Amino acid sequence: MTCMKLKLNPIHKDLALRFECSVATVSNIVITWLHVMHVCLYKKFLENQIPTRHKNKTCMPSSFSPFMNCKMVIDCTEIYTEVPSQLDKQKYTYSSYKHRNTLKGLVGVAPNGTITFLSNLYVGNTSDKNIGKHCGVLTSFLAGDLILADKGFLIQDLLPPGVLLNIPPFLMKAQFSPEEARQTVTIARARIHVERAIRRIKEYKILQLIPQNLRPYSSMIFQVCGFLTTLNYPLIKEVEDRYFCE
């Protein structure tokens, strides 16, 4: 029942009819098993289980050949939520980028496309930099590690000593130089995998719109759905034969 709710997001009355129980029972079961899955799956197998850059090298795709010391590719994603009834919450969840009320989370993937970090969800007007600062992801990096990110992650001043950040160059003149254009393409070829991972997470239809009654559990929903995508077929076929290397 809970997996159906996460993947297909049928209304509770539909689930009640299918499983021959009351709507209240459906709500109790879904919330209870959401907590169980969060503890037994996400917290046990994904939280604080970020592989080292040396382990990443055992299954590094060719698109990361210029970034062999990359430990993680990070990006933020926004998830629509119902408009809150309180005016202050309407203000804080309103995203100027999406022009809707959203919740926002950070996703980190290893170079082989495996999700290795999922933050809690923040209100939609939170910047990428502030999420990176407060979600705890930066504490997992050591000197020599490289982070690939989008232009919104201006976090150089927040990084631990010796940790490197690689983001696409900013357009400071009429057009990119040939070297800047090559650099942009090279980073984009590596960064695309985090966007593909995010797309997989959002295939769980419950994340298409978080209703008000589920907003207190939105971070758990996001993290459980993210973990479940790690059970899918490898995101990058090139590294399939090395996917389970020790």
Side-chain angles (χ1 to χ4, degrees):
M1 183 189 291
T2 304
C3 288
M4 287 178 65
K5 180 64 180 177
L6 295 176
K7 186 66 175 180
L8 304 175
N9 198 26
I11 62 174
H12 284 191
K13 187 174 181 179
D14 181 352
L15 290 172
L17 291 172
R18 291 174 186 268
F19 288 89
E20 299 182 352
C21 61
S22 68
V23 172
T25 298
V26 171
S27 297
N28 290 336
I29 289 174
V30 168
I31 297 303
T32 298
W33 278 97
L34 180 61
H35 281 80
V36 171
M37 294 170 75
H38 189 257
V39 172
C40 296
L41 298 179
Y42 170 75
K43 285 187 172 293
K44 183 175 178 63
F45 295 107
L46 189 57
E47 188 177 47
N48 300 320
Q49 301 293 325
I50 299 174
T52 65
R53 68 176 184 274
H54 302 293
K55 186 175 179 66
N56 287 338
K57 288 180 181 179
T58 64
C59 51
M60 186 80 73
S62 59
S63 58
F64 278 84
S65 56
F67 314 110
M68 292 300 292
N69 59 335
C70 179
K71 186 173 183 177
M72 188 184 295
V73 187
I74 61 174
D75 200 5
C76 281
T77 185
E78 297 191 61
I79 296 167
Y80 296 135
T81 183
E82 285 186 351
V83 180
S85 55
Q86 300 95 329
L87 291 178
D88 59 337
K89 291 184 178 180
Q90 289 181 24
K91 173 185 175 182
Y92 293 136
T93 58
Y94 185 78
S95 167
S96 57
Y97 177 69
K98 293 290 187 179
H99 304 292
R100 288 183 61 175
N101 294 83
T102 66
L103 301 171
K104 193 173 183 181
L106 185 145
V107 178
V109 302
N112 67 2
T114 303
I115 293 173
T116 57
F117 184 87
L118 293 161
S119 75
N120 290 328
L121 292 181
Y122 296 78
V123 291
N125 70 353
T126 311
S127 68
D128 292 353
K129 180 176 181 177
N130 281 334
I131 292 178
K133 178 179 180 180
H134 293 288
C135 72
V137 66
L138 300 183
T139 62
S140 63
F141 295 99
L142 302 174
D145 289 341
L146 171 67
I147 307 170
L148 290 185
D150 199 4
K151 295 179 182 180
F153 285 93
L154 302 177
I155 55 176
Q156 291 92 338
D157 57 322
L158 304 176
L159 298 178
V163 176
L164 306 173
L165 175 69
N166 201 327
I167 60 176
F170 286 88
L171 184 61
M172 306 300 292
K173 46 192 176 183
Q175 63 182 25
F176 284 131
S177 67
E179 177 57 32
E180 289 173 331
R182 283 193 294 270
Q183 185 181 357
T184 299
V185 171
T186 301
I187 296 173
R189 288 181 64 239
R191 280 196 62 260
I192 190 67
H193 301 308
V194 71
E195 297 174 8
R196 294 174 63 205
I198 289 172
R199 185 169 66 237
R200 276 191 173 183
I201 296 173
K202 289 189 172 181
E203 288 176 356
Y204 284 82
K205 293 186 178 180
I206 195 170
L207 295 175
Q208 292 182 353
L209 180 69
I210 301 292
Q212 291 195 49
N213 64 308
L214 290 180
R215 192 174 296 125
Y217 314 103
S218 57
S219 292
M220 283 194 291
I221 292 171
F222 176 64
Q223 290 167 345
V224 168
C225 291
F227 172 83
L228 292 175
T229 64
T230 66
L231 305 178
N232 291 359
Y233 201 75
L235 191 64
I236 305 175
K237 187 172 180 59
E238 177 188 345
V239 298
E240 176 187 343
D241 58 335
R242 293 169 286 166
Y243 206 72
F244 301 104
C245 291
E246 292 296 332

